[in-house]
Amino acid sequence: MSVNKEVKRVTTHTLAKMKQAGEKISMLTAYDFSFARIIDSAGIDVLLVGDSASNVMAGHETTLPITLDQMIYHAQSVIRAAKRCLVVVDLPFGSYQSNSEIALASAVRIMKETGAHAVKLEGGEEVTESIKKITSAGIPVMGHLGLTPQSIYQFGTYAVRAKEETEAAKLLKDVELVQQAGAFALVLEKIPAALAQQATEKLQIPVIGIGAGPHCDGQVLVMHDMLGINTEFKPKFLRQYLNIFEQATKAVQQYIWDVKSGDFPNEQEQY
Ligand code: KIV
């Protein structure tokens, strides 16, 4: 029997059942084959091929520059490694905002060319037509509200969103609209914990938080942040589980020393 047949794939239905059962959902980002393999085999529920690839893989300041072709490349690499988890791919900036036809065309490209299981897009009321159009084609859509990095130049800052009453009320309206439009889950980023709790209790679909407190149905972090690959980004909500930057620097320094001193390669390390 092949490995694939033995592994039960996490689906959008699995996530819905997890919410009903009160079982927390774990989600991390991944952008390449090797890390996706580690994270999937560790037992993650959802892998997000986030447009944060623009920051952590390409070194851009924002998520805006990454293209649909580049997202497809990252997603193709991740999907080859993901044997168990659900793989969700971000629709990048400019690939869905114009109208729902363009949104569907972008989502179809992702599904056809990568083999991913769902797409994610940012926004509330203004993207509901696109969510309806994409889901009507049989493609599961994850929403994303609160701090939506593709709108950073409109916000002007990465500070916590929806602290004021008016923005909080709009967020609560938007989460409902995104659910009604057919989204299967929703990411809430960097909003007060009490507001995220209200949204989570109000919605039937699972809510995955990042900087949104402990009451969400699950949590997501950017892999490079939680593994300490990228050590310059240290928001209050981040828990850093490793310091790969430091450990890798030490290993590389040791390698340089070993090469220069003639210690590497030794007798066992040659033919
Ligand atoms: O692109 C991304 O990494 C994301 C997460 C922050 C949720 O959208």
Side-chain angles (χ1 to χ4, degrees):
M1 196 189 280
S2 81
V3 174
N4 273 349
K5 280 185 190 152
E6 287 167 18
V7 177
K8 200 165 184 318
R9 172 76 69 182
V10 175
T11 67
T12 57
H13 298 282
T14 318
L15 302 187
K17 282 192 202 138
M18 286 171 82
K19 173 162 182 145
Q20 282 159 18
E23 187 187 336
K24 296 279 186 183
I25 297 162
S26 60
M27 172 161 144
L28 278 173
T29 64
Y31 319 95
D32 71 296
F33 175 81
S34 300
F35 271 112
R37 191 157 66 157
I38 294 171
I39 299 171
D40 180 67
S41 58
I44 203 80
D45 297 313
V46 185
L47 264 182
L48 171 67
V49 184
D51 59 357
S52 50
S54 180
N55 309 107
V56 297
M57 299 300 289
H60 292 296
E61 219 172 278
T62 72
T63 58
L64 276 66
I66 200 159
T67 65
L68 185 56
D69 284 338
Q70 289 166 338
M71 288 302 298
I72 287 172
Y73 167 76
H74 287 296
Q76 286 169 337
S77 309
V78 167
I79 205 81
R80 281 180 211 121
K83 303 291 178 228
R84 177 190 169 269
C85 63
L86 181 84
V87 178
V88 182
V89 182
D90 262 334
L91 282 167
F93 177 68
S95 73
Y96 63 95
Q97 287 90 346
S98 325
N99 61 56
S100 62
E101 299 286 340
I102 288 178
L104 175 60
S106 301
V108 165
R109 272 203 68 198
I110 288 178
M111 302 299 282
K112 249 190 196 306
E113 294 177 39
T114 74
H117 312 121
V119 297
K120 174 164 87 57
L121 50 73
E122 297 181 3
E125 195 172 359
E126 68 283 5
V127 294
T128 52
E129 279 315 307
S130 295
I131 297 176
K132 283 183 199 159
K133 190 85 183 166
I134 298 170
T135 52
S136 72
I139 303 172
V141 176
M142 179 180 273
H144 184 156
L145 281 161
L147 177 67
T148 46
Q150 291 178 13
S151 306
I152 189 58
Y153 290 120
Q154 199 171 45
F155 295 151
T157 150
Y158 285 99
V160 179
R161 302 305 311 175
K163 280 165 92 177
E164 307 304 325
E165 229 175 272
T166 326
E167 197 182 335
K170 175 159 174 25
L171 184 127
L172 288 176
K173 197 175 141 214
D174 274 342
V175 300
E176 201 96 65
L177 291 172
V178 165
Q179 173 174 269
Q180 274 167 22
F184 74 92
L186 175 68
V187 167
L188 284 181
E189 180 165 354
K190 224 170 172 191
I191 61 167
L195 182 62
Q197 180 173 16
Q198 258 184 287
T200 305
E201 286 170 1
K202 198 173 147 103
L203 295 185
Q204 276 89 56
I205 59 172
V207 173
I208 319 286
I210 172 163
H215 309 292
C216 300
D217 302 304
Q219 298 291 327
V220 56
L221 285 175
V222 169
M223 177 200 89
H224 285 61
D225 301 336
M226 63 82 75
L227 291 181
I229 299 171
N230 165 28
T231 50
E232 275 147 39
F233 182 67
K234 281 203 173 140
K236 184 180 170 190
F237 69 76
L238 175 67
R239 187 176 293 181
Q240 197 183 305
Y241 288 82
L242 266 182
N243 193 332
I244 291 188
F245 187 92
E246 202 177 284
Q247 289 172 292
T249 303
K250 280 190 189 141
V252 173
Q253 283 169 341
Q254 184 65 50
Y255 168 74
I256 294 168
W257 172 256
D258 290 350
V259 170
K260 291 197 182 283
S261 67
D263 180 76
F264 176 79
N266 63 25
E267 272 187 31
Q268 284 77 51
E269 292 160 335
Q270 56 186 279
Y271 300 101

